[in-house]
C-alpha cells in the first residue's frame, strides 16, 4: 500500500486515544503490527508534560505519525491545528477532521473541502475524514487530496459499515484512489468486510482501546484486515439467487 508515495506493509492504522495505560497502548500497537498511528494534537496537548511523554513514546516505537485535527469545528481551527501538528511532528501528513454535528460527529463537508484546499496549497498531504458521498469525494480530490477516509459509521459507535451500497459504489467510482475506512469499526468482522469490498486499509481506535483486552483485540483486527484483503484479491464468487450443487452429477449412477 502506498500513501502519498510512502510504501507501507500493514493495512491497519491505529488510533492512540483512550487506552487504560501507556503499556497497554504499546502492547496493542505491537500486537497489531501497525506502522502508522494517529494522534490528536488538541487532546495530547491538554497537559504539556503528558504530551511530551506521549510523543516520546511514539518516536521510540519508530512509527509514522498521522496527526489529526480531532475536535475542530471550523476551517480556521483545523488549519491552525494542522500547522501546529506539522511543526511538532515534522510531517506533512494530516488527518483532517472538521466536525459539523455534535451528536453524530458527522463531518462538515463544506468546511472540509475548503480546509483541504487551503492545506494542500500549503504543502500538506491531507487525509480527509469524510462521508461516503461521491460528490464530496470528487471535490476533495479536486482540492488536492490523494487519499480519502470515508466513515463506516459515526465515530465510536462500533456499528460497522452502515451503508455498504454507498461504500461499494465509492470504491468502484475511484478504483485508483487509496480509500481507508475511518470510524465505526467495532469488531474484526467489520474490518474484514471493509477489505472484502476492496478498501485499501482500515483505521480504528475505540474498538481496540475500549475492548476488555485491547492487545488481543488489536491482534484480531490485524488478522481480519489481512484475511479480508486476501479474500478480495482472490476474486470471490458473487451471491446467487438459486442453489448450485457443489458436487458434480456427471457420471453419477442412476438407480431404476
Amino acid at each position: 500500500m502506498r500513501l502519498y508515495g510512502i510504501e507501507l506493509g500493514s493495512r491497519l492504522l491505529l488510533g492512540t486515544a483512550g487506552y487504560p495505560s501507556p503499556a497497554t497502548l504499546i502492547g496493542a500497537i505491537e500486537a497489531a503490527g501497525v506502522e502508522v498511528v494517529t494522534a490528536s494534537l488538541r487532546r495530547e496537548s491538554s497537559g504539556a508534560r503528558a504530551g511530551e511523554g506521549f510523543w516520546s513514546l511514539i518516536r521510540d516505537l519508530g512509527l509514522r505519525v498521522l496527526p489529526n485535527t480531532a475536535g475542530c469545528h471550523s476551517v480556521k481551527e483545523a488549519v491552525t491545528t494542522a500547522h501546529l501538528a506539522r511543526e511538532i511532528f515534522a510531517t506533512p501528513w494530516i488527518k483532517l477532521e472538521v466536525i459539523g454535528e455534535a451528536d453524530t460527529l458527522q463531518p462538515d463537508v463544506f468546511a472540509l473541502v475548503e480546509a483541504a484546499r487551503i492545506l494542500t496549497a500549503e504543502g500538506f498531504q491531507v487525509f480527509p475524514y469524510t462521508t461516503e458521498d461521491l460528490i464530496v469525494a470528487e471535490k476533495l480530490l479536486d482540492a488536492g487530496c490523494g487519499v480519502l477516509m470515508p466513515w463506516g459509521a459515526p465515530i465510536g459507535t462500533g456499528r460497522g459499515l452502515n451503508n455498504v451500497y454507498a461504500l461499494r459504489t465509492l470504491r468502484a467510482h475511484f478504483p485508483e484512489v487509496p480509500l481507508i475506512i475511518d470510524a465505526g469499526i467495532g469488531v474484526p468482522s467489520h474490518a474484514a468486510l471493509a477489505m472484502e469490498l476492496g478498501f485499501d486499509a482500515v483505521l480504528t481506535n475505540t474498538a481496540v482501546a475500549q475492548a476488555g483486552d485491547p492487545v488481543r483485540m488489536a491482534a484480531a483486527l490485524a488478522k481480519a484486515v489481512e484475511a479480508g484483503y486476501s479474500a478480495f484479491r482472490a476474486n470471490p464468487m458473487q451471491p446467487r439467487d438459486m442453489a448450485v450443487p457443489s458436487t458434480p452429477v456427471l457420471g453419477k449412477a442412476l438407480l431404476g
Side-chain angles (χ1 to χ4, degrees), residues 109-110 112-113 116-117 128-150 166-167 169-171 173-174 177-179 199:
V109 295
F110 304 101
L112 181 68
V113 171
R117 195 176 303 280
Y129 164 62
T130 183
T131 65
E132 65 278 89
D133 187 277
L134 288 176
I135 306 304
V136 175
E138 288 274 15
K139 292 187 179 299
L140 287 168
L141 295 174
D142 290 343
C145 297
V147 177
L148 298 176
M149 303 184 76
L167 290 170
T169 302
L170 189 70
R171 176 71 283 177
H173 200 74
F174 302 106
V177 178
L179 299 179
F199 282 79

Side-chain angles (χ1 to χ4, degrees), residues 150-183:
W151 65 351
I155 294 171
T157 61
R159 297 184 62 84
L161 308 184
N162 273 353
N163 194 339
V164 172
Y165 171 80
L167 290 170
R168 183 182 286 116
T169 302
L170 189 70
R171 176 71 283 177
H173 200 74
F174 302 106
E176 304 301 324
V177 178
L179 299 179
I180 302 172
I181 289 293
D182 177 20

Side-chain angles (χ1 to χ4, degrees), residues 179-206:
L179 299 179
I180 302 172
I181 289 293
D182 177 20
I185 298 299
V187 292
S189 58
H190 297 157
L193 175 57
M195 301 304 293
E196 288 170 11
L197 292 175
F199 282 79
D200 296 278
V202 167
L203 191 159
T204 186
N205 186 167
T206 309

Side-chain angles (χ1 to χ4, degrees), residues 179-243:
L179 299 179
I180 302 172
I181 289 293
D182 177 20
I185 298 299
V187 292
S189 58
H190 297 157
L193 175 57
M195 301 304 293
E196 288 170 11
L197 292 175
F199 282 79
D200 296 278
V202 167
L203 191 159
T204 186
N205 186 167
T206 309
V208 177
Q210 295 189 10
D213 186 338
V215 175
R216 187 182 294 272
M217 181 59 76
L221 281 162
K223 293 174 183 175
V225 166
E226 182 60 32
Y229 177 68
S230 294
F232 172 73
R233 292 293 302 273
N235 190 21
M237 64 171 287
Q238 297 302 307
R240 300 164 175 155
D241 292 329
M242 299 294 292

